[in-house]
Amino acid sequence: MTAAGLIFSNIHDSSVPELTARRTMASIPYGGRYRLIDFALSNMVNSGITKVGLITHYNYQSLLDHIGNGKDWDLARRHGGLKILPPFITAYDNATANKVYSTRLEALMGVMDFINHCTEDVLVLSDCDVICNVDIAQAIERHEQNGADISVITATVDTAVQPLDAHAEVVKVDAAGRITDMATYDAEKGEVEVSADIFVVRRSYLQRVVADAIAHGQTSFYKDVLYRQLPKGRVFAHHYDGFFGRVNSLESYFRCSMRLLDRGSCVNLFYRHNQPIFTKVRNSVPTRYAPGAKVSNSLIADGCVIEGTVENSILFRGVKVGKGTRVSNSILMQDTLVSENVRLNCVITDKNVIIKDNRELCGHETMPFYIAKESQV
Amino acid sequence: MTAAGLIFSNIHDSSVPELTARRTMASIPYGGRYRLIDFALSNMVNSGITKVGLITHYNYQSLLDHIGNGKDWDLARRHGGLKILPPFITAYDNATANKVYSTRLEALMGVMDFINHCTEDVLVLSDCDVICNVDIAQAIERHEQNGADISVITATVDTAVQPLDAHAEVVKVDAAGRITDMATYDAEKGEVEVSADIFVVRRSYLQRVVADAIAHGQTSFYKDVLYRQLPKGRVFAHHYDGFFGRVNSLESYFRCSMRLLDRGSCVNLFYRHNQPIFTKVRNSVPTRYAPGAKVSNSLIADGCVIEGTVENSILFRGVKVGKGTRVSNSILMQDTLVSENVRLNCVITDKNVIIKDNRELCGHETMPFYIAKESQV
Amino acid sequence: MFKKKECVAMLLAGGQGSRLYALTAKTAKPAVTFGGKYRIIDFTLSNCVQSGLDTVGVLTQYQPLVLNEYIGTGLPWDLDRNYGGVKILPPYQGKNGADWYKGTANAIYQNMQFIERYNADYVLILSGDHIYQMDYAKMLDCHKTNGADCTIAVIDVPLSEASRFGIMTTDATGRITKFSEKPKNPDSTKASMGIYIFNRDKLFSYLTADAADPKSSNDFGKNVIPAMLAAGEKMMAYPFVGYWKDVGTISSLWEANMDILGEKPQLKLATGNWRVLSRHDNAPPQYVGPDAVVDNASITEGCEILGTVKNSVLGENVRVMEGASVVDSVLMGDTVIGPGARVEYAILDHNVEVGAGAAVGAPRESADGKIAVIGEGVRVEAGATVPAGAMLSE
Amino acid sequence: MFKKKECVAMLLAGGQGSRLYALTAKTAKPAVTFGGKYRIIDFTLSNCVQSGLDTVGVLTQYQPLVLNEYIGTGLPWDLDRNYGGVKILPPYQGKNGADWYKGTANAIYQNMQFIERYNADYVLILSGDHIYQMDYAKMLDCHKTNGADCTIAVIDVPLSEASRFGIMTTDATGRITKFSEKPKNPDSTKASMGIYIFNRDKLFSYLTADAADPKSSNDFGKNVIPAMLAAGEKMMAYPFVGYWKDVGTISSLWEANMDILGEKPQLKLATGNWRVLSRHDNAPPQYVGPDAVVDNASITEGCEILGTVKNSVLGENVRVMEGASVVDSVLMGDTVIGPGARVEYAILDHNVEVGAGAAVGAPRESADGKIAVIGEGVRVEAGATVPAGAMLSE
């Protein structure tokens, strides 16, 4: 079975307004050198998919900068490869002029041309707010064996550790893997099985249900399409049990990031056999630990210069930590400059932030202190 | 002097509504296998420019398909290369939300980030409605020698052959090459010197005048910026004397195309030493002339199959001309299928048009008959 | 980081192709131009890509410069990949000295390290000098389904011609029971196409044994295949039906070119999504002048036809001037046929210039099968005559 | 269609680098890892790209597989171009037989065709085994301004060391008046860096004469440069000031690695827009564990440090387990230092495994300059001891 991919870059942007003020959910930096889209893209590429449509609506300049020509994911191809699907806007007034899709179903309607021109048997749909490393090839194989219309990747979430919100869809699955029920998360406690918002769909089936939804003026992919298909018994779950994180608030972003400092989780996400996570290659120099630097329990990207103390933190590329400075429990994004004798605790700095000498900034793990892009403190 | 390029893909779209209904001016097919943007891009690449920003506003899916990852222009690079600059739209309401630029100056304001991040000394600005093959490297050299702020590429147009409209800017130049006066075309007859809408500008100067124009709420690059700079004496003309065509109506599109059947003009445009016109490579087979085919004075792309008669026409890739058919004075775009025993005269077919057996369609050179994309007649 | 590849293709492109004489003086046979805008190797490379094989080692030895330039980064075939893609594998100097490739098997033997890097389970051995379109993925499926050690693609040839080929005798299941290289009295019409799929480990052990045998000529057909057969390995034939031509001689090269012409060409260069990919320059569309006559011809970009072209295949940038005629000929490209010149029943390599009024070749009816061949860069003076069957080189 | 290139760079990368012993057993010297995430050749390649030279021929001969894979399509250096870019130029078999490269000049001689294709006016000759950052565009400007036939980059060396180099004596204008290869009594401190710019036609005529001379050893330094000087060609010295190091020996390789460490490193890998480009995998960020000690070190992606690292350079995917210590050492990558193991004053090639509790090398103070070297793929058993200055290979 051949497969093509389709990635929604903006869905759920509004959950994390701080980080998406000038970027898409897809281009939120994560884990020292990644952007959230790297997970969706790598999952597809690792499963042998070589054609991916990337649905963009707004704010996607930073996403285009990250993606470049797709070479870093080996998707710079003459045939297939990565295709940007911009919103359909025209200069002339008409029904669709200046329309920016807001739901998954509307977005699908907007890219029916792309879907119709594919020749692949199945499509893999993915959002960008989940962090996982799924063997999608296996899911496609099962999809075929099951004779499924739609297969939903699902994961088990312990709500005590990862709180959920109403963006999550809870699934009930029978012994054969069939999804029997599906509902928006409603404050259940304990371990719940949720959709990862990654779908394997037969292309012809998707064409039909989307056309039908258009005809009926429907708007929700879950409520109007998926829910109604359940009784037919051809919607299956494919359980994934590796690292699973979902970014639905600044706090959950902080929590999902800090989970990487648990070595087991980090290895589970990044070191799966034959499933590397690809990202844009930036020609950074190695990180230099100056004489006298002290670092512990931290994840550090290349291109950093560390002269002070760093603990329980994540440093993105090009971060500088000056002498006499102590950075604890913090996330410092690309090219953050922390000068000398600074104290940071539970702080998130966005790109190109400058923290001057002798500053002391302190948040809390339930309320990290976010410093916006290019701020100087 | 280092240079970067900036291409406006949508300016003047409204001049040719037929051809831009679902594409940009930049992606109008021309000359059998090209799109109009190929001229702007090739001019830049041939002058050694390796970083080009492509300003897109609307309708740019077909442009993205043509450009791909930029490999065909050798612009698929890690550093520099081709950068798509999409409109700044955000999901959140604010002053610039859903704003689609309509003038060159507004477009420049929208991409100041790109301009500010360039490190090159000069920028080359180009529209997509002119067809020419200019040695821009030479223009940049003169620009430097002249100590110019702006150099405008100009060409001589004989209005008897190529009618002009109010989009054209007429320039007056002194012996030293300085532009002394500039005005919108106002029905002058005979040979007039007009701007090709290609500019070489010092980057720092452009930053300053655009910032100034923003501060003063101005909107026109010509009227508010260029006209006012003339008295300072640092605006120069760089005369170009090769093939020059400008598409400002369907009729002028037809005329500019037919000029390629004059072998001298065609060679002048396409065979300049070290200045090839690059375009997207499509893996077409060679064109096959079946036994009995008759072809004269025509420009024919690869991938055609000709069984009938073709005269004074331009055939794009993948066109089929059936037995007993006669195609005269026509432009058949990509994958047009002309069946058997058809007569076409002064017809323009857009992509994927099908003309069935025994049809007879006839326009006039002053009023070519345009058949829209994917029509069946 | 090398991700595992199920199957790696090894394309033997080192042959000199000496029976193409002037056409292979400066270039290896796989790089010879075919069909106006292709090189012979394009067929095999395109087969690989369209069969989903994205890791191809190209083994070069003889005059590789043109081939190296042509393949470049692999862009035209979408083989410019971060992992895999097309890689040129020339002979090299190791710690213990230098070795040229001694035979087809030896060439693969010296590059086992390349195959190991991708940890491939299967190795597909190809040669770069046949014209055909084949889906290797189906052959691999067959190989796996059969649980074979080696699968060899075969094509039915007329019994009268079978003695020119390596002939496979098979049992009812398709298992090869006998292999005879150019048998005098062939007992089968299944000819080997020189396309082999091997299980990697089996291949390596036979190659290692073959390399240790000083008497071996290190050739697949002569040594490795017979050795495997003798040892009772499971070797299956994979029947192929379709156009297939060895273009190893002047006349077969001419014929194959002519096969792309006609009302219904025998050799289709594109069918559905399957097409032959090639590297070509960005030349403008072809121009056919007011008084030109073009009848039954294949013409490509950059050509300018002012005279007559009949039953001919023209490559890029050929100019046929006023009053000139080109009949029953193959012009590879970048060539000028001067005013009033006549080219008949001939093959012209790249960059040939035929001066005004010159005559190359003779009408096909009277040429008695003798094709005139003009090598790269040759200039035929104005008014000169090149007889049928002549072979000119620089 | 080859567009003209003003200057083409030819990078000699065929040397064995035998004084690096175990480190060059399986790979050519230019492909040896340096500074944790670079190969030695990255410095020269990056210099080319950042000087605006986009056409680079890399001449390979000895153990080219690793180098070929590493350079690949040229992507990391933005040299995967449609016109120009980086091209590997191995020795090849021509119509009249096969030739390995006999010397540096012979390697260029055999590839004159490559330079001709780009119709270059100038040829820049480089070698791939020095660590330095230099803007060749400035050198070319100088060459043109001087109207020179050949320009040679020189660096000032201490008079005491001058006898180890090719020494140029110049007049007041910088014109070279004398060239002495490793002179006993040097009369100048200007040492040749082995970087030459030639006018193309001059170069070709001297190379052709050199190739015809059976007594020549076909070397630039020994034959071509002296011949040009003797003939009175205009040869200019181009002075270079900055970091420059020949990393041809174990100790110089170790020292150059250490030069990227410290409060203010002597060797800066990136300054402003100028940076050394390299190919590297997509490894996750480095992890420094709760009890790790990292002091004065350069560490790159994919590393996991649970023990102690001091005064050391670590390449990709090095794991230093609990209680292990790495001091005064260079670990090229993909290596595991087992729990409690100790590595001091050593160079470890890729894929080395040091078992738990093993000891490699001796403290620098007591090692008497003897660096322990462990070749690619070697496994040091748990508890084993590898003495200072030992040289292990697989």
Side-chain angles (χ1 to χ4, degrees), chain A residues 74-93:
Chain A
D74 222 354
L75 288 174
R77 309 207 173 187
R78 268 190 203 292
H79 302 97
L82 193 64
K83 275 204 181 315
I84 309 293
L85 304 173
F88 186 69
I89 322 174
T90 90
Y92 313 118
D93 273 334

Side-chain angles (χ1 to χ4, degrees), chain C residues 299-317:
Chain C
I299 302 184
T300 189
E301 292 158 349
C303 287
E304 183 178 4
I305 315 296
L306 305 176
T308 297
V309 176
K310 282 187 182 166
N311 304 322
S312 294
V313 174
L314 272 57
E316 287 173 341
N317 305 319

